[in-house]
Amino acid sequence: MIHVSRLEHHIREELDKTAPRALVVLDPLKVVITNLESDKVMELDAKRWPDAQNDDPSAFYKVPFSRVVFIDQSDFRMKDSKDFYGLAPGKSVLLRYGFPIKCTDVVFADDNETVREIHAEYDPEKKTKPKGVLHWVAESSPGKEPIKIEVRLFEKLFNSEWLTDINPNSKVVVSDAYAGSILKDAVVGDRFQFERLGYFAVEKDSEPGKLVFNRTVTLRDSYGL
């Protein structure tokens, strides 16, 4: 017998070599790029593989960058701190494969507490060099939301060696995640690395227009070998 963490270690090693990368946002927060024209869409190069060579076009895929992009809710805070590399009022971050953006305003819901959307300006010259790098997904055209997928996040079933110590969050279903266009033609069994989130496979429950992804393993094992 071997510890499950050792098995997962070897799964990660294999998937790191064979699973193309993709951008997925689990809990979307709308970001409006105020200094970008509403009808402008840029096609940016994103890497399928982390070590892709610039002269190998098959190692890249296109992602749209438009006036409306989405980041994960967890990557924004109203109060910044030294150990937080996400977005905050007045702070800049880099959108992976894209441009630096700076938060210029925050729009709240009617309760004056829930953040409804963020306004930001992008740096087209890329002169800003922020420390934080965020994954993101954009509208492919004005008003057209990104691909919506279901994501199932699996964690350890038990919190400890005791069989009664069951992890209540061992399975979390995210029904309205946003994904980049690289996933639109995925079929059952296809495997991807969702950047910053882990390794995922297309589940057999998938239907036309509604892909379902199961997380195989996270990017890192907090339990150690």
Side-chain angles (χ1 to χ4, degrees):
M1 294 179 65
I2 63 170
H3 195 280
V4 66
S5 62
R6 191 171 295 276
L7 172 63
E8 291 180 346
H9 168 75
H10 291 288
I11 291 173
R12 289 187 187 92
E13 283 196 329
E14 174 64 20
L15 291 178
D16 183 56
K17 303 171 186 174
T18 60
R21 276 48 175 171
L23 295 171
V24 172
V25 173
L26 297 181
D27 190 9
L29 175 60
K30 184 178 180 180
V31 180
V32 179
I33 310 297
T34 57
N35 62 333
L36 185 65
E37 297 90 334
S38 59
D39 60 346
K40 186 171 183 178
V41 179
M42 302 182 207
E43 292 290 330
L44 307 179
D45 286 325
K47 290 184 176 181
R48 295 178 188 270
W49 313 104
D51 300 325
Q53 301 298 315
N54 291 334
D55 58 354
D56 181 6
S58 66
F60 293 82
Y61 67 98
K62 297 293 184 180
V63 294
F65 177 73
S66 59
R67 184 177 173 88
V68 175
V69 305
F70 298 88
I71 64 172
D72 256 310
Q73 293 271 359
S74 60
D75 283 329
F76 177 79
R77 292 181 185 174
M78 285 301 300
K79 292 184 179 180
D80 196 12
S81 62
K82 291 182 179 180
D83 59 347
F84 180 60
Y85 293 93
L87 195 61
K91 184 179 179 180
S92 296
V93 295
L94 177 65
L95 297 181
R96 186 154 173 77
Y97 309 120
F99 300 92
I101 63 170
K102 181 179 181 179
C103 176
T104 57
D105 194 16
V106 179
V107 179
F108 293 94
D110 293 339
D111 61 8
N112 292 321
E113 293 183 3
T114 304
V115 177
R116 191 178 70 188
E117 67 180 48
I118 297 168
H119 291 178
E121 294 182 353
Y122 87 111
D123 175 8
E125 304 298 325
K126 300 184 180 181
K127 294 180 179 179
T128 310
K129 303 296 181 183
K131 294 182 178 179
V133 181
L134 305 186
H135 61 291
W136 56 282
V137 177
E139 290 184 348
S140 58
S141 60
K144 184 178 181 180
E145 68 178 14
I147 299 169
K148 190 174 290 187
I149 63 173
E150 179 178 305
V151 178
R152 298 171 182 173
L153 306 173
F154 294 95
E155 298 285 355
K156 299 289 191 290
L157 182 58
F158 300 100
N159 289 319
S160 68
E161 63 185 12
W162 304 104
L163 297 182
T164 56
D165 190 13
I166 296 176
N167 178 8
N169 297 315
S170 60
K171 178 183 177 181
V172 175
V173 178
V174 180
S175 300
D176 297 316
Y178 280 158
S181 58
I182 190 175
L183 298 184
K184 67 179 180 180
D185 297 321
V187 297
V188 174
D190 282 354
R191 300 168 297 178
F192 298 87
Q193 183 200 105
F194 293 176
E195 299 203 32
R196 297 179 67 208
L197 299 175
Y199 294 98
F200 294 78
V202 182
E203 162 64 26
K204 62 183 179 181
D205 292 346
S206 296
E207 300 175 354
K210 185 64 173 181
L211 289 171
V212 179
F213 289 84
N214 287 345
R215 184 163 65 187
T216 307
V217 288
T218 55
L219 290 180
R220 294 179 180 85
D221 184 7
S222 59
Y223 287 75
L225 296 177

